[in-house]
Amino acid sequence: VAYLMKIINREYIQAMKTNSRLPFPYLVQLEITNVCPFHCPQCYKETTPNCHMNFEKLKDFVIQCYDNGTKLFVLNGGEPMLYYRINELLLFMNTLDIHMNCFTSGYGLTNDIIDLWNFDSHKLCLSLNGSTEEINRLTRQGYDITITAMKKLSELKKYYGINWVARHDNLTDFRNVLNLCEKYSVGFLFITSEKLTGTGKLMSPLTKDDYIVLSKIIENYSGNIEIIIESCFSTLDILLNKSNKFNYFMGCFAGKYGCHVDMNFSFSPCTHLAYYEKFSSLSDYWNNSIMLQQLNTDNKSDHCYYCQYHANCNPCKAWDERMYQNFSQDYISCPIFISNSEVK
């Protein structure tokens, strides 16, 4: 999620060196609604009665975050465009000196919302996992709605993006997705990793060969679309950057510089890690959550620590059932693991 975040503040870097975390979240994911017209196969959310964040409490919460240093808010759902007071929320967010990202199917993306969206400061990203309805429906519903939204945004000459989940079963379609993005004047393509579904399983994980193929396509791409790798997709980022320089912000952001809040103002490390806790404030949660402490504890006696890429890889805990259940577990099935002993 932190792909658009440019951390150049030396105080942030010093805080990470000292405490392995920022003093307060730079990034906050807001689950503003669980209302959604779809039942996508890859969805990780539980089915619950329709609900929205209370608008007045949401405004107060955002102001508290902003006053404490949060600069990036992410609108999650459900379908964020179906939030019961979405127009008022956008007007309010436009009054703050922040960045805001939103991931949407395009359902409910009306002309009024487009007019309110600040495309200079905020990023609007449509979710699409395939260039055709057949491939897209392996994981997502609403293909025609997303394509219609792409056409509309292209005709209006808006700078927007596509969110594409990298999987084994849609990898051969990636070049076609790039072509489709070119056709509809997409500004950026955000590549994210597959996460555990609501049943706790991965549907179609990438193989080692898949990683190599995908990294080569990205390296050789010379079109107009900016390709951005999700921060917690560190395994792909490592293959692309091939840098041994330590980066404090590489990998999963949860508990380091970001977290998630649900519709009832319970806190969790991120939207994909459903370990919810009640605290009196976000500051209280950030400083006292045992879950966040566990996320930032490095296991120096297990698999990952002896990998060539360990210094710059902090994999998402929602990639693997064992890691999800126990944060001290390593990514044993990692496709790109290379033991330090194998490096000449």
Side-chain angles (χ1 to χ4, degrees), residues 169-198:
D169 59 12
N170 70 355
L171 183 64
T172 57
D173 182 54
F174 182 57
R175 287 190 176 89
N176 296 327
V177 169
L178 284 171
N179 292 336
L180 189 67
C181 290
E182 295 275 8
K183 177 181 178 180
Y184 292 117
S185 306
V186 170
F188 61 94
L189 176 63
F190 177 47
I191 300 180
T192 185
S193 57
E194 184 187 12
K195 310 294 195 300
L196 295 173
T197 66

Side-chain angles (χ1 to χ4, degrees), residues 32 55 58-59 62-63 75 80-81 83-98 100 111-119 121-122:
I32 59 175
F55 181 58
L58 172 56
K59 286 198 300 180
V62 168
I63 290 172
L75 300 187
M81 295 299 129
Y83 180 60
Y84 78 122
R85 296 175 71 173
I86 184 65
N87 290 31
E88 293 170 90
L89 176 59
L90 295 182
L91 284 169
F92 166 70
M93 291 300 221
N94 287 341
T95 67
L96 303 176
D97 181 23
I98 59 166
M100 185 172 69
N111 289 333
D112 286 345
I113 291 175
I114 293 174
D115 288 341
L116 288 173
W117 194 268
N118 183 346
F119 286 89
S121 298
H122 306 325

Side-chain angles (χ1 to χ4, degrees), residues 191-336:
I191 300 180
T192 185
S193 57
E194 184 187 12
K195 310 294 195 300
L196 295 173
T197 66
T199 62
K201 304 296 181 183
L202 287 184
M203 295 175 66
S204 186
L206 294 174
T207 66
K208 182 175 183 178
D209 288 342
D210 290 339
Y211 269 97
I212 294 171
V213 169
L214 180 56
S215 63
K216 292 300 181 184
I217 294 174
I218 296 171
E219 286 174 343
N220 294 328
Y221 176 70
S222 58
N224 298 322
I225 302 166
E226 181 183 8
I227 298 179
I228 305 167
I229 312 301
E230 179 188 33
S231 62
C232 64
F233 204 172
S234 53
T235 43
L236 179 60
D237 206 5
I238 282 169
L239 290 181
L240 289 168
N241 293 319
K242 298 180 174 65
S243 173
N244 292 322
K245 185 178 180 181
F246 186 78
N247 184 343
Y248 287 98
F249 301 96
M250 179 72 80
C252 176
F253 68 81
K256 291 197 304 182
Y257 56 87
C259 63
H260 171 253
V261 57
D262 75 356
M263 293 169 292
N264 298 310
F265 296 92
S266 294
F267 303 104
S268 70
C270 92
T271 184
H272 293 283
L273 296 176
Y275 289 95
Y276 290 102
E277 299 175 276
K278 274 288 188 182
F279 280 85
S280 60
S281 66
L282 177 54
S283 179
D284 191 16
Y285 171 68
W286 190 251
N287 292 309
N288 297 306
S289 168
I290 300 299
M291 301 305 299
L292 295 188
Q293 291 177 21
Q294 291 176 356
L295 276 170
N296 284 292
T297 301
D298 199 3
N299 187 352
K300 297 185 178 181
S301 62
D302 212 337
H303 186 71
C304 288
Y305 189 74
Y306 296 100
C307 177
Q308 175 189 356
Y309 302 124
H310 171 72
N312 279 331
C313 186
N314 180 26
C316 171
K317 303 300 182 182
W319 285 354
D320 180 272
E321 191 172 7
R322 292 174 70 254
M323 291 196 298
Y324 188 100
Q325 298 295 334
N326 184 346
F327 293 159
S328 67
Q329 293 291 328
D330 279 349
Y331 191 22
I332 304 298
S333 59
C334 178
I336 69 162

Side-chain angles (χ1 to χ4, degrees), residues 126 128 131 143-144 146-162 176-188 225:
L126 301 174
L128 185 74
S131 65
Y143 174 82
D144 290 340
T146 305
I147 295 298
T148 298
M150 291 173 69
K151 290 178 181 178
K152 179 184 294 187
L153 292 168
S154 176
E155 291 168 357
L156 293 172
K157 301 187 184 319
K158 301 297 185 181
Y159 181 78
Y160 72 102
I162 290 295
N176 296 327
V177 169
L178 284 171
N179 292 336
L180 189 67
C181 290
E182 295 275 8
K183 177 181 178 180
Y184 292 117
S185 306
V186 170
F188 61 94
I225 302 166

Side-chain angles (χ1 to χ4, degrees), residues 11-12 15-16 19 21-26 68 256 283 286-287:
E11 292 181 4
Y12 289 169
M16 295 295 285
N19 300 313
R21 55 167 39 194
L22 296 187
F24 194 82
Y26 180 102
N68 280 283
K256 291 197 304 182
S283 179
W286 190 251
N287 292 309

